[in-house]
Amino acid sequence: MELLDTIKQNARKNNKRIVLPEGYEERTIQAADIAIAENLAKIILIGDPVEIKSHAAKLGLKNIEKAIIVDPKSHPKKNDYINLMVELRKSKGLTREEASKLIEDPLYLGAVMIKSGDADGEVSGADHATGDVLRPAFQYVKTAPGISVVSGSFLMILPDKSFGENGVLIFADCGVTPNPTDRELAEIAVSSAKTAKALAGMEPKVALLSFSTKGSAKHELVDKVISATKIAQEMAPHLMIDGELQGDAALVESIAKKKAPGSKIEGKANVLIFPDLNCGNIAYKLCLLYTSDAADEEDSVDLGGRRII
């Protein structure tokens, strides 16, 4: 079964309540229509009901009428949400007047719905900057117990199935924390391992990446990754986590045998943890370029006898 089919199957089984704050955005409303048609989730759209239904009709969408539509200006739980916001942010000095304005912002409304238990998750960012989407989540949803840092995992599906788990790799963090400490990097590793198992159903093999493999270079940047690896292993001793590893030692078995003999992941990593946001963001975008239809054989790169297009 292909990964996307597996994800859809799990979505149907769990049938979670997913809130979409960008109720007017064309791709969002089209995706909502598909999700409803395929019974992937219970969809909650935020926006003016009349405008959303009118927009759906113009696009020829048939299933939006089955979605729950919440008007941010007027809905039955508005006062309850305002009260919750004030209670959660009273130490920050949030007033009821300020909360009354914020709750009409769909991004804040979506986050508070999740916090209050009226939604299970959110998909947003098609029409807003990442920072704007994350800010309400930071303030109201918070992080998981035992985790102090927010991170973003990217699901990369490579044409060469010999990498990762049948070509599937998790990259983190590629979108949120610019320069994590060793503790934060460890938390990113453990969180990303959970994501790999939950989303892709694979047994995570986590590599904390560096420009050094097992002491081949000495630098404070390497020291951070070594420390993070130790912390991550202590946090989750049941997981296969190793570091510090260069990219080739993490991904190519023959190179791992030479550079990192005895490594737990043996050059078969499927979760790659980058030391900072520069590395992670650049790496995933390079992968997108070299796995796109635009890349040809002349642009391919040979790595340990394996060719990446």
Side-chain angles (χ1 to χ4, degrees), residues 46-114:
I46 296 180
D48 181 279
V50 174
E51 292 188 26
I52 288 177
K53 289 176 181 178
S54 174
H55 191 40
K58 289 177 182 177
L59 293 171
L61 306 179
K62 306 296 185 183
N63 299 291
I64 294 302
E65 61 184 24
K66 298 176 185 177
I68 296 170
I69 301 177
V70 177
D71 188 339
K73 302 288 185 182
S74 175
H75 56 88
K77 300 199 73 172
K78 186 173 183 179
N79 283 331
D80 293 339
Y81 293 158
I82 291 170
N83 292 337
L84 177 61
M85 292 176 75
V86 173
E87 177 63 24
L88 292 173
R89 300 284 291 174
K90 61 184 178 183
S91 64
K92 302 294 183 181
L94 181 72
T95 66
R96 186 172 181 81
E97 182 181 2
E98 290 168 334
S100 298
K101 293 178 181 178
L102 285 175
I103 199 61
E104 294 186 0
D105 181 331
L107 295 179
Y108 276 87
L109 176 54
V112 175
M113 288 181 72
I114 294 170

Side-chain angles (χ1 to χ4, degrees), residues 207-235:
L208 282 87
L209 300 180
S210 174
F211 62 84
S212 169
T213 296
K214 300 298 182 180
S216 64
K218 304 294 182 184
H219 193 275
E220 61 184 21
L221 295 176
V222 177
D223 293 340
K224 182 176 83 167
V225 179
I226 293 172
S227 177
T229 301
K230 291 178 181 177
I231 295 170
Q233 290 169 340
E234 291 169 359
M235 288 177 64

Side-chain angles (χ1 to χ4, degrees), residues 255-267:
I255 295 177
K257 287 179 179 178
K258 295 176 182 178
K259 288 187 172 184
S263 170
K264 290 182 180 180
I265 58 176
E266 301 176 319

Side-chain angles (χ1 to χ4, degrees), residues 23-267:
Y24 305 117
E25 200 275 328
E26 188 167 310
R27 290 172 299 165
T28 298
I29 198 170
Q30 289 174 329
D33 192 75
I34 294 169
I36 295 168
E38 296 188 11
N39 197 32
L40 301 178
K42 295 181 179 73
I43 297 297
I44 304 168
L45 289 166
I46 296 180
D48 181 279
V50 174
E51 292 188 26
I52 288 177
K53 289 176 181 178
S54 174
H55 191 40
K58 289 177 182 177
L59 293 171
L61 306 179
K62 306 296 185 183
N63 299 291
I64 294 302
E65 61 184 24
K66 298 176 185 177
I68 296 170
I69 301 177
V70 177
D71 188 339
K73 302 288 185 182
S74 175
H75 56 88
K77 300 199 73 172
K78 186 173 183 179
N79 283 331
D80 293 339
Y81 293 158
I82 291 170
N83 292 337
L84 177 61
M85 292 176 75
V86 173
E87 177 63 24
L88 292 173
R89 300 284 291 174
K90 61 184 178 183
S91 64
K92 302 294 183 181
L94 181 72
T95 66
R96 186 172 181 81
E97 182 181 2
E98 290 168 334
S100 298
K101 293 178 181 178
L102 285 175
I103 199 61
E104 294 186 0
D105 181 331
L107 295 179
Y108 276 87
L109 176 54
V112 175
M113 288 181 72
I114 294 170
K115 184 64 177 180
S116 67
D118 292 328
D120 300 303
E122 175 185 311
V123 176
S124 191
D127 204 32
H128 290 86
T130 301
D132 293 335
V133 174
L134 292 176
R135 195 172 300 108
F138 289 157
Q139 293 176 358
Y140 294 100
V141 180
K142 307 292 186 179
T143 55
I147 302 295
S148 66
V149 65
V150 174
S151 60
S153 297
F154 282 61
L155 187 64
M156 309 297 292
I157 304 176
L158 306 181
D160 189 334
K161 303 301 181 184
S162 61
F163 287 107
E165 188 82 9
N166 196 31
V168 177
L169 289 162
I170 299 289
F171 282 18
D173 170 19
C174 303
V176 183
T177 303
N179 188 23
T181 65
D182 55 351
R183 175 74 193 187
E184 290 172 336
L185 197 59
E187 291 178 3
I188 290 169
V190 173
S191 298
S192 301
K194 292 179 180 177
T195 297
K197 194 168 185 68
L199 186 61
M202 58 192 188
E203 195 61 37
K205 300 179 181 69
V206 185
L208 282 87
L209 300 180
S210 174
F211 62 84
S212 169
T213 296
K214 300 298 182 180
S216 64
K218 304 294 182 184
H219 193 275
E220 61 184 21
L221 295 176
V222 177
D223 293 340
K224 182 176 83 167
V225 179
I226 293 172
S227 177
T229 301
K230 291 178 181 177
I231 295 170
Q233 290 169 340
E234 291 169 359
M235 288 177 64
H238 60 288
L239 291 176
M240 284 187 281
I241 300 175
D242 201 10
E244 85 285 16
L245 295 169
Q246 292 167 289
D248 54 358
L251 291 167
V252 182
E253 189 175 1
S254 61
I255 295 177
K257 287 179 179 178
K258 295 176 182 178
K259 288 187 172 184
S263 170
K264 290 182 180 180
I265 58 176
E266 301 176 319

